[in-house]
Structure formats: C-alpha cells, structure tokens
Amino acid sequence: MKIAVTGKGGVGKTTFAALLCHIYEAAGTDVIAVDADPDSNLGSTLGISVADIPRPITDLKELIQERTGADPAVPGSVYKLNPEVSDIPDKYCYARGSLKFLLMGTVKAGGKGCVCPESAFMKTLLAHLAIAREQCLVVDMEAGLEHLGRGTTRSMDALVA
C-alpha cells in the first residue's frame, strides 16, 4: 500500500501518518515513512530521537549535483529529470525493525535560487519508493496542494486528505 497524507495545516496529517506507520509496523509489514513536510515532525512523532533523525535529502547537495548533473553555479543549467535514486533509501534512511524513515527536507530561505534539481530528485525518489519498492509507503506531505501540481503523488495507491 502506498499512501500520501495531505490537507490543511494543523489537521493532524503527521499524527495520522505516524499512526498508519505504527499499525503497519505492528502487523510486521515493512514500512518506509517519508517526511515530505517542510515543517518536519514525522520522525519525532514516530518516536525517533533527534540524534537519529537522518540528514535531509535536500541537504545532500553534492549527491544531487552528481546525480542530476545540475551545476549550482550556472543559473538555468540543464539537469536530468530522472536521476538514479535506487540506492538512496538503503543509504539515507533511519531503520528500526521493519520501519525505515526518510526525511526529504525543504528550501531553507527565500532568494537562494532555483531548487528544480532538488525537486526533480525528490519526485524521482518518491516515484521509485511507490513503484519499485515492495514496502508499504506512508508519505506525510506539506499542507496545501503544490505537490499535486508537481505530480509527486502520482504513483500512490491512496491520497488521504
């Protein structure tokens, strides 16, 4: 099952996503929990200590540059829309029993330039998790509808709003 949780801010998206993860985990199902909310709290809601929260994917600038071919020094540079991401979940997830946790990250400040390569990388990663992986996937999305416009939830079995 591949589930994305979205909706208005403050309605309990993160709590609901964490409960889904706990239910599947308790049933012995392999779960990948993805915090794709810029106001990330899914890790702590799952009971993961601050010290164990993995580095956000958006902070992996060198990796994103290597995989997408984007040159951050060249505005408007050409980059790959489908970078290789199959190894990311195994290298950058926090693991506890049958649960894996991945933190997507966010834009740190306005005026820092284009984040299109990072967005392409994360979109490809979410699609990989939804299509190529056998684990149950629960994604805590940001409030609002931008992810629908970007198509990041396209491969999900369910969108809970």
Side-chain angles (χ1 to χ4, degrees), residues 46-64:
L46 289 168
I48 301 170
S49 72
V50 173
D52 289 331
I53 299 288
R55 187 173 173 199
I57 297 299
T58 55
D59 286 359
L60 305 174
K61 302 293 185 197
E62 300 83 20
L63 177 68
I64 293 171

Side-chain angles (χ1 to χ4, degrees), residues 35-83:
D35 194 338
D37 187 342
D39 184 21
S40 57
N41 294 299
L42 183 58
S44 60
T45 306
L46 289 168
I48 301 170
S49 72
V50 173
D52 289 331
I53 299 288
R55 187 173 173 199
I57 297 299
T58 55
D59 286 359
L60 305 174
K61 302 293 185 197
E62 300 83 20
L63 177 68
I64 293 171
Q65 181 179 354
E66 171 196 320
R67 301 289 175 93
T68 64
D71 184 350
V74 179
S77 65
V78 176
Y79 58 91
K80 293 179 188 174
L81 293 175
N82 58 349

